């Protein structure tokens, strides 16, 4: 099935730390993943894993049960998707270190994102987390141990004392912890190979990386989500890793969740170009240089961040990217295949040519000022009998967007501190569009953090919070105009208990057709079954999309499981 793809493994990343889908939805979407060309899943559970015993405080209130985890694995096996679990063990530990009982294991006391590598209890903690996850994944051939974006490493008191000793460096400190975690995985689970994100390894000198022993223990995942990814520099980085002794290398692209912390609609062209660049990277080296590629789909930039695009919104982008990887490019025949899979008559992506690969788009800087528009999806007449009679009225252009601050260690002057609440702009009158959506106490809804969560985050992480996940190629530009939220209700917000009993149904639309030379941004609407009279969903022709001839596309019927922080 791989066709001309240079990637033997094509993994879809399920980021469960934001709006995790119900198992019933996964049962519908996993067959589509397989049909589009995926043969594996990278599942980042975070607090949705059913930790037990002393680790029970890590699990969210609505975490998956052990039986649900087993059902997810059964569904993956049924669809020939190999599952790789991901457990954060160094950076992005907010869901662990936010708890008062574990706050003493922070590298820097005010910030819950980085684990203190000097404490023996730290290794015991991540070892226990790994063992519980592996107990439910006994056949996993790989385990991803995270280790990306380890902010404030070396800034704790114990680290400063350690760094004062001769020949001690931050790189050595990082490698020693990675080596300890990887050694634990191999000692307890010898048939499982650790994977880790590569960003903390890029600047480490070759001799130091080789001497650390890490290349003999783990395999790095080179991640870059930029549309203007530098192919030559990636080829040089791969050569460096091979010289250091890594047996296998992996790549990581993005099909959504990498163009803005509060992005509403997925810019498909951006992600398609990212995958075209990765195809060039794979072609620049030996045929077996890359074991596989992870198509990441981030739901949040970190545990305390707002929601970006949800999984249903990114499915058209995922279809385009997977098919392009499978067939080695995005030509007219690949475009026709995607349209057939999604059940649409036209998939228009600005800038696509008839060539086998998209031409590389050059920008004056690492990240251009504006994001490319999302794919325009139009419903076909043959699907009118399915799910139609939907129309979203066009809204005025949203207020000027503002990029959030992503690097908590070096915030830009005047930028909003990452620990504070970000209010996305949009909607008529310049109001906060997210506040028009139904919300639940103590959790995120519709892109705006609830006040209770904001207070808890500020108390747990200090004045600067846990930090945003940086986009690798620079700060993102303003969000596309076609990302406006709507769904205003004249009625008061429904009771919390009723919302918990009836999860939200998300209906995602594309961009409306152009009229009189103007582009009308469409909107994202949220409907709760218990509030049908108050929260109405209007007609839109894009909801006539179908998966194949008779099966409705799962993105139009997603049910999200509730998640309390």
């Amino acid at each position: 099935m791989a066709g001309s793809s240079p990637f033997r493994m094509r993994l879809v990343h399920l980021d469960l730390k934001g709006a995790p889908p119900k198992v019933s939805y996964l049962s519908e979407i996993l067959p589509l993943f397989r049909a589009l060309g995926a043969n594996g899943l990278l599942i980042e559970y975070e607090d949705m894993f059913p930790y037990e015993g002393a680790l029970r405080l890590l699990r969210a209130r609505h975490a998956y049960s052990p039986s649900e985890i087993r059902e997810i694995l059964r569904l993956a096996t049924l669809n020939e998707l190999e599952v790789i679990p991901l457990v954060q063990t160094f950076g992005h530990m907010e869901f662990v270190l936010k708890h008062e009982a574990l706050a003493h294991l922070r590298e820097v006391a005010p910030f819950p994102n980085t684990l203190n590598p000097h404490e023996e209890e730290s290794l015991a903690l991540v070892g226990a987390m790994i063992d519980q996850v592996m107990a439910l994944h006994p056949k996993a051939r790989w385990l991803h141990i995270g280790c990306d974006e380890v902010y404030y490493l070396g800034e704790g008191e114990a680290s400063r004392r350690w760094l004062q000793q001769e020949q001690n460096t931050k790189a050595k400190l990082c490698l020693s912890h990675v080596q300890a975690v990887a050694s634990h995985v191999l000692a307890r689970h010898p048939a499982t190979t650790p994977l880790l994100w590569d960003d903390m390894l890029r600047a480490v000198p070759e001799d130091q990386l080789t001497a650390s022993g890490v290349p003999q223990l783990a395999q790095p995942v080179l991640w870059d989500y930029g549309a203007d990814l530098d192919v030559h520099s990636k080829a040089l980085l791969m050569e460096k890793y091979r010289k250091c002794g890594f047996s296998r290398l992996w790549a990581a692209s993005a099909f959504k969740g990498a163009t803005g912390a509060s992005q509403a609609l997925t810019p498909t062209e951006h992600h398609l170009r990212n995958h075209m660049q990765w195809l060039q990277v794979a072609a620049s080296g030996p045929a077996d240089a890359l074991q596989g590629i992870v198509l990441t789909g981030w739901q949040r930039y970190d545990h305390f961040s707002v929601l970006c695009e949800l999984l249903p919104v990114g499915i058209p982008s995922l279809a385009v990217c997977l098919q392009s990887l499978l067939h080695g490019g995005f030509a007219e025949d690949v475009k026709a295949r995607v349209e057939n899979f999604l059940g649409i008559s036209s998939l228009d992506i600005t800038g696509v040519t008839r060539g086998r690969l998209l031409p590389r788009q050059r920008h004056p800087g690492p990240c251009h000022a504006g994001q490319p528009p999302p794919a325009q999806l139009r419903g076909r007449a043959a699907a009118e009998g399915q799910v139609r009679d939907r129309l979203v009225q066009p809204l005025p252009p949203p207020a000027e967007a503002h990029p959030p601050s992503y690097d908590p260690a070096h915030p830009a002057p005047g930028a909003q501190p990452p620990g504070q609440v970000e209010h996305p702009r949009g909607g008529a009158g310049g109001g906060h569009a997210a506040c028009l959506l139904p919300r639940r106490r103590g959790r995120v809804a519709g892109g705006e953090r609830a006040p209770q969560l904001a207070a808890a985050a500020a108390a747990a992480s200090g004045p600067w919070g846990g930090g945003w996940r940086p986009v690798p190629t620079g700060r993102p530009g303003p969000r596309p105009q076609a990302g406006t939220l709507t769904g205003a209700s004249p009625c008061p917000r429904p009771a919390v208990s009723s919302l918990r009993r009836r999860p939200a149904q998300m209906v995602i639309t594309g961009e409306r057709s152009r009229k009189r030379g103007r582009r009308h941004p469409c909107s994202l609407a949220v409907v709760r079954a218990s509030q049908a009279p108050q929260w109405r969903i209007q007609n839109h022709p894009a909801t006539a999309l179908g998966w194949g001839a008779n099966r409705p596309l799962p993105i139009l019927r997603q049910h999200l499981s509730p998640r309390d922080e």
Side-chain angles (χ1 to χ4, degrees):
M1 180 178 179
S4 57
S5 175
F7 301 102
R8 187 172 66 87
M9 298 289 294
R10 296 170 299 279
L11 310 174
V12 177
H13 172 230
L14 294 179
D15 180 18
L16 303 181
K17 66 175 174 286
K22 297 179 71 173
V23 177
S24 59
Y25 178 67
L26 291 176
S27 68
E28 297 185 51
I29 206 66
L30 293 188
L32 180 59
F33 288 177
R34 178 57 180 167
L36 289 171
N39 55 12
L41 301 173
L42 178 66
I43 303 182
E44 184 168 352
Y45 289 106
E46 211 191 56
D47 60 355
M48 289 300 293
F49 187 82
Y51 290 104
E52 296 290 350
L55 300 180
R56 189 177 182 86
L57 79 165
L58 304 184
R59 60 193 292 181
R61 182 178 304 178
H62 300 285
Y64 296 113
S65 66
S67 61
E68 288 177 316
I69 298 292
R70 286 188 285 268
E71 177 62 14
I72 293 173
L73 298 180
R74 188 192 70 82
L75 292 170
T77 301
L78 188 64
N79 291 283
E80 300 178 335
L81 298 170
E82 182 161 3
V83 173
I84 300 178
L86 188 153
V87 182
Q88 289 287 1
T89 60
F90 206 177
H92 288 291
M93 293 284 285
E94 295 93 346
F95 78 103
V96 176
L97 301 178
K98 71 178 182 181
H99 297 284
E100 184 178 357
L102 300 172
H104 64 285
L105 297 179
R106 300 174 182 178
E107 169 71 343
V108 180
F111 309 123
N113 50 356
T114 298
L115 191 68
N116 184 345
H118 301 280
E119 294 286 345
E120 293 184 4
E121 189 180 348
S122 296
L123 184 58
L125 171 65
V126 297
M129 294 168 58
I130 288 171
D131 292 343
Q132 290 200 20
V133 170
M134 288 301 298
L136 287 179
H137 300 76
K139 299 180 180 180
R141 292 195 292 167
W142 294 278
L143 170 69
H144 202 306
I145 59 174
C147 297
D148 61 314
E149 298 175 338
V150 188
Y151 299 132
Y152 310 115
L153 179 64
E155 297 184 18
E157 293 183 7
S159 293
R160 289 178 179 178
R161 291 193 299 268
W162 186 84
L163 290 172
Q164 289 176 356
Q165 301 176 18
E166 189 177 358
Q167 297 182 346
N168 285 346
T169 63
K170 288 185 180 181
K172 185 177 180 180
L173 178 60
C174 177
L175 292 173
S176 64
H177 182 78
V178 172
Q179 190 269 347
V181 174
S183 297
H184 173 88
V185 173
L186 293 173
R188 298 293 299 269
H189 314 280
T192 302
T193 301
L195 306 179
L196 74 154
W197 303 117
D198 84 305
D199 53 288
M200 299 301 294
L201 308 178
R202 295 170 190 168
V204 179
E206 286 186 25
D207 56 345
Q208 191 171 354
L209 185 56
T210 303
S212 68
V214 171
Q216 287 72 43
L217 301 174
Q219 299 174 2
V221 183
L222 292 72
W223 59 273
D224 195 322
Y225 312 145
D228 54 355
L229 181 155
D230 191 330
V231 175
H232 179 64
S233 65
K234 281 293 177 291
L236 293 178
L237 185 60
M238 291 167 57
E239 181 62 24
K240 168 189 172 179
Y241 289 155
R242 285 195 295 268
K243 289 181 179 180
C244 291
F246 285 105
S247 60
R248 289 285 188 272
L249 305 178
W250 297 68
S253 57
F255 72 90
K256 77 174 193 69
T259 56
S262 55
Q263 186 81 26
L265 296 180
T266 304
T268 304
E269 182 192 346
H270 173 97
H271 297 292
L272 175 57
R273 291 185 181 277
N274 174 241
H275 287 79
M276 295 302 100
Q277 295 300 95
W278 272 115
L279 284 171
Q280 294 187 39
V281 172
S284 66
D288 59 346
L290 292 170
Q291 172 83 5
I293 185 169
V294 179
L295 291 85
T296 62
W298 302 102
Q299 301 275 79
R300 302 179 192 269
Y301 277 29
D302 64 37
H303 184 76
F304 294 131
S305 180
V306 297
L307 288 167
C308 47
E309 313 105 292
L310 302 183
L311 176 59
V313 185
I315 287 181
S317 174
L318 176 63
V320 168
C321 297
L322 270 175
Q323 283 287 291
S324 299
L325 291 178
L326 188 66
H327 298 285
F330 190 77
E332 288 297 328
D333 59 331
V334 179
K335 178 175 178 287
R337 287 173 180 268
V338 174
E339 292 170 348
N340 180 62
F341 275 119
L342 299 181
I344 59 177
S345 59
S346 177
L347 176 65
D348 295 333
I349 303 177
T350 305
V352 176
T353 68
R354 293 182 179 273
R356 192 65 180 168
L357 296 177
L358 278 169
R360 179 177 176 182
Q361 181 178 3
R362 297 188 179 273
H363 303 290
C367 188
H368 48 291
Q371 298 297 343
Q376 302 175 19
L377 306 181
R378 303 189 185 97
R380 60 180 179 181
E384 290 180 356
Q386 296 181 8
V387 190
R388 61 179 187 178
D389 300 330
R390 311 244 165 138
L391 177 63
V392 175
Q393 298 297 329
L395 297 175
E400 181 181 359
H402 58 288
S405 173
Y406 293 100
D407 189 348
H410 307 286
Q416 181 180 8
Q420 297 182 4
V421 180
E422 180 195 21
H423 297 286
R425 300 183 184 180
H432 302 311
C435 68
L436 303 178
L437 303 179
R439 294 173 291 177
R440 181 183 302 134
R441 182 178 305 166
R443 62 159 296 192
V444 171
E448 182 183 21
R449 193 188 311 170
Q452 294 84 356
L453 177 58
S461 57
W464 291 99
W468 302 101
R469 177 186 294 272
V471 175
T473 55
R475 298 179 183 275
R479 303 179 328 190
Q481 290 190 356
T484 308
L485 306 177
T486 188
S489 169
C491 302
R493 190 175 68 177
V496 173
S497 59
S498 65
L499 296 184
R500 287 177 177 167
R501 288 197 299 268
R502 298 173 174 86
Q505 178 178 350
M506 308 296 296
V507 178
I508 312 302
T509 65
E511 186 178 43
R512 297 193 64 200
S513 58
R514 302 183 183 185
K515 294 182 179 179
R516 300 178 183 176
R518 296 180 59 188
R519 180 176 296 174
H520 295 269
C522 68
S523 60
L524 177 152
V526 175
V527 176
R528 295 190 182 274
S530 61
Q531 300 299 322
Q534 293 85 7
W535 298 91
R536 297 184 181 277
I537 182 165
Q538 297 176 340
N539 296 340
H540 192 284
T543 56
L545 310 182
W547 177 15
N550 301 312
R551 188 172 182 182
L553 188 65
I555 63 172
L556 305 177
R557 306 193 275 119
Q558 189 218 20
H559 294 274
L560 303 177
S561 61
R563 178 188 188 275
D564 285 309
E565 296 293 337

